[in-house]
């Protein structure tokens, strides 16, 4: 819907219902998500129901891992894949039941040389879950997720470098490493048929380390040996340590209202996050991953976020075909920032404390004109709190507005969805989102001296509106519902009109917001074979709010539209399967983002044509 696409900034990102980002408000980014081989489904929640989980404009995305295989003491699955650019992916999982104990775990190893020089990656992802099923009413367990990765970053490109050769690399000494750890303990209790109680407590302890030739000079600045010293320039080192603890308690109760059964849900979340950010340290002139520095850190900052948030929601089923779902969430938020930062040779100190409370409400309506179709409408308030980076000092003559407010707004949609027999699925709707009090930097005049200075403040509102639709039509099932073959045409289309409505850039398009996203494809399937051809077309966008088509600023500039073709196929035979596919079949050169920092600065090219081949086997 035209929101910031970087990592999970505008989303509430979870795995199995618990948070996996560093700090859901202060630093809402997640470097870990489970590998897709381990995911059974991805849940997307927007509207009034999303207030159960948080306040993000983008709603909730929840990766649900595969569950324990039923009625089996042991099951082992292995999947091995090779592909272009040195790709090797190994995924292995085990699961089973022993009396009242159930268990599931996976381990993934992934390594690749990369599409561009200096873009090697290696990572290990792991997950383990053990659950004790005391009775039909009570179970409890613990889960642990981990990520260990090491990534070499090839740098961003200028427009001219990209147009000449998108495989070009401007950096050979940039590295990132981000160990991630998440431990969750949970209890599920069902005291009666109509009541459920769940408690989840999560502790995240993770970090991110960077050593890189910094953004000075932009993408055009080459990383060459200095002829006077016969060495490279020293790199910049940064280390971030992230910790948070979160406990969520949820309760639901079904009850009779007239002749219908309604549902009440309520709960509370309590979390505390602490975040250590050290950076700007002068690193070595080497090319390997080396975090040692000379002298002091350029900045050394400590951040904290305390959050307490109760919520209530009620599904009122007023008739057999009509439900009304109001929701309410109250948030208490305390953000702190302490430490120092060197800015243009001067040391600036920060000691910021922001306390605030918010009340958010939402309402959902659903009318079922038929057994398998529904008309739905939702509206819910949202906000994006001030994050850690917006509390940092950023210039000698710069200020942070003491009245800086969190961004607020609302999300609304109206649509029609459903299924017709076994040959048609559809969801067609429109949306309107108001995103107010966006935070940015602008110039101001000192009333006494008349001097200009920059100030970080709330500078603009934006409106995002458009259409979202999904249609899948199975041609063979339409003519013969009992057919063992399937031939489906699908289309996922979005039109997004996202523009600033106030401020300096009034009437300009919101940065990185493509107007159209269209995915159309064909699926053929039998009991053993499945193959998909998909065409992805994404409209143009701009890198920044000024909508500049070109600029020396690595972020600003035009992002052209592109079309990419992908194909995949799989063949299953009992407990074995073979898979193969190709991405970007036409070898289209394109990019989706520009960045002012790592892994840039500049344009980050997308991967060219690539192929993969793999097999999966299951043993019981």
């Amino acid at each position: 819907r035209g929101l910031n696409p970087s990592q999970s900034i505008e989303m509430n990102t979870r795995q199995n219902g618990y948070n996996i980002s560093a700090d859901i408000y202060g630093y809402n980014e997640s470097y870990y998500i489970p590998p897709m081989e381990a995911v059974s489904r991805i849940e997307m929640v927007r509207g009034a129901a999303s207030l159960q989980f948080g306040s993000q404009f983008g709603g909730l995305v929840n990766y649900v891992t595969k569950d324990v295989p039923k009625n089996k003491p042991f099951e082992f699955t292995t999947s091995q894949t090779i592909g272009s650019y040195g790709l090797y992916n190994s995924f292995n999982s085990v699961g089973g039941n022993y009396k009242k104990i159930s268990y599931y775990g996976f381990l993934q190893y992934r390594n690749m040389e990369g599409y561009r020089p200096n873009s090697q990656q290696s990572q290990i992802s792991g997950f383990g879950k053990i659950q004790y099923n005391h009775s039909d009413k009570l179970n409890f367990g613990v889960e642990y997720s981990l990520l260990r990765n090491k990534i070499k970053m090839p740098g961003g490109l200028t427009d001219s470098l990209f147009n000449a050769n998108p495989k070009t690399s401007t950096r050979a000494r940039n590295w990132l490493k981000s160990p991630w750890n998440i431990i969750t303990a949970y209890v599920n209790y069902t005291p009666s048929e109509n009541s459920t109680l769940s408690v989840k407590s999560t502790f995240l302890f993770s970090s991110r380390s960077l050593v890189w030739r910094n953004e000075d000079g932009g993408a055009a600045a080459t990383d060459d040996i200095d002829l006077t010293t016969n060495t490279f320039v020293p790199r910049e080192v940064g280390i971030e340590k992230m910790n948070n603890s979160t406990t969520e308690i949820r309760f639901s109760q079904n009850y009779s209202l007239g002749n219908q059964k309604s549902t009440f849900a309520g709960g509370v979340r309590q979390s505390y996050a602490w975040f250590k950010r050290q950076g700007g340290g002068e690193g070595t002139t080497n090319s390997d991953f080396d975090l040692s520095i000379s002298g002091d850190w350029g900045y050394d900052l400590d951040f904290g976020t305390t959050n307490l948030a109760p919520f209530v929601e009620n599904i009122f089923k007023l008739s057999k075909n009509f439900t009304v779902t109001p929701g309410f969430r109250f948030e208490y938020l305390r953000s702190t920032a302490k430490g120092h930062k060197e800015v243009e040779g001067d040391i600036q100190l920060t000691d910021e404390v922001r306390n605030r409370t918010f009340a958010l409400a939402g309402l959902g309506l659903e009318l079922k004109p038929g057994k398998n179709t529904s008309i739905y409408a939702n509206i819910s308030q949202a906000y994006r709190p001030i994050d850690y980076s917006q509390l940092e000092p950023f210039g000698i003559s710069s200020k942070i507005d003491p009245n800086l407010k969190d961004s607020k707004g609302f999300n609304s949609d109206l649509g029609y969805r459903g299924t017709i027999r076994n040959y048609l699925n559809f969801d067609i709707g429109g949306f309107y989102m108001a995103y107010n009090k966006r935070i940015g930097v602008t110039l101001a005049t000192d009333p006494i001296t008349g001097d200009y200075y920059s100030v970080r403040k709330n500078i603009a509102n934006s409106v995002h509106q458009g259409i979202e639709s999904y249609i899948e039509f199975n041609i063979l099932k339409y003519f013969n519902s009992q057919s063992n073959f399937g031939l489906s045409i699908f289309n996922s289309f979005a039109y997004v009109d996202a523009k600033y409505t106030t401020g300096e850039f009034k009437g300009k398009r919101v940065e990185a917001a493509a107007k159209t996203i269209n995915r159309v494809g064909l699926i053929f399937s039998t009991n053993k074979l499945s193959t998909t051809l998909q065409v992805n077309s994404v409209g143009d966008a701009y890198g920044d709010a000024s909508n500049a088509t070109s600029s020396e600023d690595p972020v600003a500039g035009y992002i052209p539209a592109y079309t990419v073709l992908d194909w995949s196929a799989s063949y299953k035979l009992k407990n074995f399967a073979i898979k193969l596919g190709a991405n970007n079949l036409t070898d289209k050169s394109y990019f989706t983002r520009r960045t002012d920092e790592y892994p840039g600065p500049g344009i980050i090219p997308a991967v060219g044509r690539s192929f993969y081949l793999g097999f999966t086997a299951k043993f019981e």
Side-chain angles (χ1 to χ4, degrees), residues 262-553:
S262 295
T263 303
F264 168 83
V268 62
R269 179 182 71 200
Q270 184 278 327
S271 68
Y272 176 68
W274 57 104
F275 184 96
K276 179 78 168 178
R277 172 174 282 168
Q278 295 173 311
E282 183 177 306
T284 69
T285 58
N286 299 333
S287 298
D288 59 342
F289 182 81
D290 186 346
L291 296 177
S292 57
I293 65 169
S294 301
D296 297 327
W297 294 105
Y299 52 88
D300 191 341
L301 299 158
D302 291 279
F303 301 95
T305 302
T306 303
N307 177 231
L308 183 66
F311 77 90
V312 292
E313 179 183 292
N314 204 105
I315 302 174
F316 292 104
K317 196 163 186 181
L318 301 183
S319 71
K320 182 179 179 181
N321 300 320
F322 183 56
T323 59
V324 178
T325 307
F328 179 81
R329 185 179 188 87
F330 180 83
E331 295 262 359
Y332 165 76
L333 200 58
R334 176 183 174 87
S335 302
T336 63
K338 292 184 179 181
H340 71 269
K341 185 173 185 178
E342 183 179 339
V343 181
E344 299 177 27
D346 286 353
I347 300 298
Q348 290 192 322
L349 302 178
T350 183
D351 188 3
E352 296 274 347
V353 178
R354 300 293 173 104
N355 294 294
R356 58 263 202 224
T357 57
F358 293 97
L360 303 172
L363 179 66
L365 307 173
E366 184 177 33
L367 174 66
K368 292 188 174 182
K371 183 179 180 181
N372 297 313
T373 60
S374 65
I375 299 170
Y376 61 89
N378 295 287
I379 184 168
S380 61
Q381 292 177 298
Y383 77 86
R384 180 184 171 188
I386 301 165
D387 63 36
Y388 293 155
S389 65
Q390 292 160 348
L391 294 176
E392 286 187 25
F394 64 102
I396 295 176
S397 59
S398 303
K399 298 179 181 179
I400 297 174
D401 185 351
N403 296 314
L404 185 69
K405 304 294 184 183
D406 304 280
S407 300
K408 294 182 178 182
F410 67 87
N411 227 327
S412 62
D413 46 54
L414 172 66
Y416 182 47
R417 64 189 171 202
T419 61
I420 298 179
R421 296 179 186 173
N422 64 342
Y423 62 81
L424 180 66
N425 297 315
F426 65 92
D427 189 341
I428 302 172
F431 67 88
Y432 183 96
M433 178 172 65
Y435 200 132
N436 301 326
K437 297 184 178 179
R438 282 177 169 268
I439 297 172
V441 177
T442 187
L443 287 177
T445 305
D446 189 303
I448 299 175
T449 65
D451 294 335
Y452 289 103
Y453 65 93
S454 56
V455 58
R456 181 176 284 137
K457 59 186 293 187
N458 302 101
I459 59 171
N461 300 339
S462 64
V463 166
H464 307 233
Q465 54 191 334
I467 297 169
E468 296 171 329
S469 68
Y470 177 78
I471 300 174
E472 183 176 355
F473 177 61
N474 194 314
I475 300 170
L476 297 183
K477 296 289 186 182
Y478 174 75
F479 289 106
N480 179 9
S481 61
Q482 304 302 316
S483 174
N484 291 324
F485 300 89
L487 181 63
S488 298
I489 298 174
F490 67 87
N491 178 239
S492 174
F493 175 76
Y495 172 78
V496 180
D497 179 23
K499 290 182 179 178
Y500 288 97
T501 56
T502 63
E504 179 184 356
F505 302 116
K506 181 178 180 180
K508 299 286 188 180
R509 289 169 58 184
V510 172
E511 57 271 24
K515 274 196 172 183
T516 58
I517 302 172
N518 193 33
R519 296 183 173 95
V520 60
L522 192 66
I523 303 172
F524 175 75
S525 60
T526 68
N527 292 332
K528 297 179 179 180
L529 173 69
S530 176
T531 182
T532 302
L533 177 67
Q534 180 173 272
V535 181
N536 301 282
S537 296
V538 179
D540 63 359
Y542 292 96
D544 81 326
S546 72
N547 292 185
T549 56
S550 63
S551 172
E552 294 183 2
D553 184 338

